Amino acid sequence: MPRPDRPLRRFYVTPATLDSDPIVFGPREAHHIATVLRLSAGTPVAVFDGSREAEAELTAVDQARVSARLIGAPRASRRPVHVALLQGVARAPRMDLVVRMGTEVGLATIHPVLTARSLSSPGPGRLARWRRIATEAARQCGRGDVPEIPPPAGLEATLHALGPQDLFLVLWEGAVRPIGEVIAGTAFATAAVLVGPEGGLTEEEVATARAAGGCVVSLGPLILRTETAGLVAAAMVLYERLLRPRG
Amino acid sequence: MPRPDRPLRRFYVTPATLDSDPIVFGPREAHHIATVLRLSAGTPVAVFDGSREAEAELTAVDQARVSARLIGAPRASRRPVHVALLQGVARAPRMDLVVRMGTEVGLATIHPVLTARSLSSPGPGRLARWRRIATEAARQCGRGDVPEIPPPAGLEATLHALGPQDLFLVLWEGAVRPIGEVIAGTAFATAAVLVGPEGGLTEEEVATARAAGGCVVSLGPLILRTETAGLVAAAMVLYERLLRPRG
């Protein structure tokens, strides 16, 4: 049994299932509940469909069928933090990796940004591919929603579309201020991370981002590749807000 | 000029260069200093070779040559935290990615662990390949050392070889305790992260890790792929210790 001060274990169900009674879990969740976790009937859990969630209690747990009944009505999930990655368009395999891993980590949106040092301007085929990768990664990691990926746009247009953010981090190899100083020192519900392509951001782009409220920060003395840097910075933002005790 | 309460900008030099006077920077660092950062002669900086570091002052900055003179003798770098990744052996492309990105992030050692659900037992060719990838990634990210990669071994042998750790995190999809509770609540100079292969750790392996002092922790409701999970957890450990203000 979870201790009362611990969060409930959360299991994904489809929106249609969340509206049904009893809730019957899909094969992946059923296996997880019955065989991996060996939970028993009567265990309180949480169920979510990506946009809503509800408390529930397991009513039957066996190899053939795992079901639960709702305790209270589903309510809209409060997404506790909305993290956007503004990724300078890089070479194809790197972008694919950013989309896939960024979806797993929990990015809300991934904006491909056409920067001065981006080597290509991806066509509609690339955008469709990124969206397929995001959809597949979301399914695999048990995520109810899929991150939004708007069409590639320039930096100013992207910043304009994104609007003001509580926290806006600009990764730049010339920075000395450690990223954690800014993350830990800011109260935020929306956050964005800007990272350049392989060749980095130009000084003009850094100035544009600063003018839009960006804090230029460092990930430490090592120079991370673009796809590693954005992912790692996003993970740090989510860690601070979702996985670390406050204060 | 850096403010006095900010860390100095750090630049990599070879061990032979660190022993020479004046210090003449290599082309990558010279470009960074002269063209990207546009620092001028007289600027205080730090130089490091991966095992030692020293304060220095730029003496000449132009396109052809960037040099500095040491202020005080080089001293051994205190590695402020030693993070080991215990990676359940996964399919070849995932392992390559773990080694490459793990090197960039700053892992001290990467232990390939032969777990119950590892699908293959890699031969000497795979180990040599991982070491080549680590060496190349270390060079690219400006890291003076290369993470150690011992030959693949079983979990018990790996834990025995590793010895006791101040912080030992076990990533398991059945966990409910958020990783940040454990990281933020522990004072540590050595840390290890254990992550299973594609199929996860068995209950027996989790029990073995617990018996060796492991804390079973969660990265949140999403189920990350093995190569994403280990990398992200390692980044969170390093963030807490190196990039975030204490307290």
Side-chain angles (χ1 to χ4, degrees), chain A residues 213-234:
Chain A
C215 292
V216 179
V217 295
S218 164
L219 286 171
L222 303 183
I223 298 171
L224 280 64
R225 289 203 203 189
T226 173
E227 70 275 29
T228 313
L231 179 79
V232 158

Side-chain angles (χ1 to χ4, degrees), chain A residues 82-86 106-111 143 147-150 162 191:
Chain A
H82 181 287
V83 181
L85 177 64
L86 280 55
L107 289 173
T109 57
I110 301 170
H111 299 258
R143 188 173 156 162
E148 260 182 76
I149 309 181
L162 187 69

Side-chain angles (χ1 to χ4, degrees), chain B:
Chain B
M1 289 284 287
R3 285 164 43 192
D5 60 341
R6 296 279 180 228
L8 295 174
R9 287 200 169 93
R10 298 170 82 241
F11 300 100
Y12 175 69
V13 295
T14 64
T17 303
L18 190 55
D19 289 324
S20 63
D21 183 25
I23 303 267
V24 179
F25 291 94
R28 179 191 177 109
E29 285 69 29
H31 172 77
H32 192 191
I33 292 168
T35 308
V36 179
L37 300 175
R38 295 188 184 172
L39 301 181
S40 52
T43 303
V45 297
V47 291
F48 71 103
D49 71 358
S51 60
R52 296 170 303 156
E53 59 186 69
E55 291 183 26
E57 185 183 89
L58 295 179
T59 46
V61 181
D62 58 52
Q63 298 298 336
R65 180 187 160 100
V66 177
S67 61
R69 66 178 182 83
L70 290 191
I71 304 170
R75 58 190 183 284
S77 299
R78 270 188 320 126
R79 182 193 285 280
V81 59
H82 181 288
V83 181
L85 177 63
L86 280 55
Q87 170 71 53
V89 169
R91 288 196 303 114
R94 297 180 200 269
M95 292 299 288
D96 290 357
L97 201 56
V98 165
V99 170
R100 201 254 288 166
M101 288 183 155
T103 301
E104 292 174 63
V105 166
L107 288 174
T109 57
I110 302 171
H111 299 258
V113 184
L114 299 169
T115 64
R117 293 181 185 146
S118 290
L119 295 178
S120 67
S121 175
R126 289 277 298 284
L127 180 61
R129 176 178 168 82
W130 295 333
R131 288 176 173 167
R132 276 198 307 276
I133 292 172
T135 303
E136 175 59 17
R139 195 191 61 73
Q140 286 200 0
C141 70
R143 188 173 156 162
D145 64 333
V146 176
E148 260 183 76
I149 310 181
L155 180 57
E156 300 217 22
T158 300
L159 292 172
H160 183 79
L162 187 70
Q165 300 286 306
D166 298 337
L167 177 66
F168 177 20
L169 302 169
V170 180
L171 304 182
W172 190 50
E173 59 174 17
V176 291
R177 189 174 186 192
I179 188 170
E181 264 189 29
V182 178
I183 299 177
T186 311
F188 60 93
T190 58
V193 174
L194 170 63
V195 60
E198 290 88 346
L201 298 169
T202 63
E203 284 184 54
E204 291 70 25
E205 286 163 346
V206 171
T208 299
R210 269 192 214 271
C215 292
V216 178
V217 294
S218 165
L219 286 171
L222 303 183
I223 297 171
L224 280 63
R225 290 205 202 187
T226 174
E227 69 275 28
T228 313
L231 180 79
V232 158
M236 291 169 178
V237 170
L238 289 156
Y239 168 83
E240 184 77 49
R241 194 67 177 70
L242 300 183
L243 296 171
R244 190 187 190 282
R246 301 296 169 84

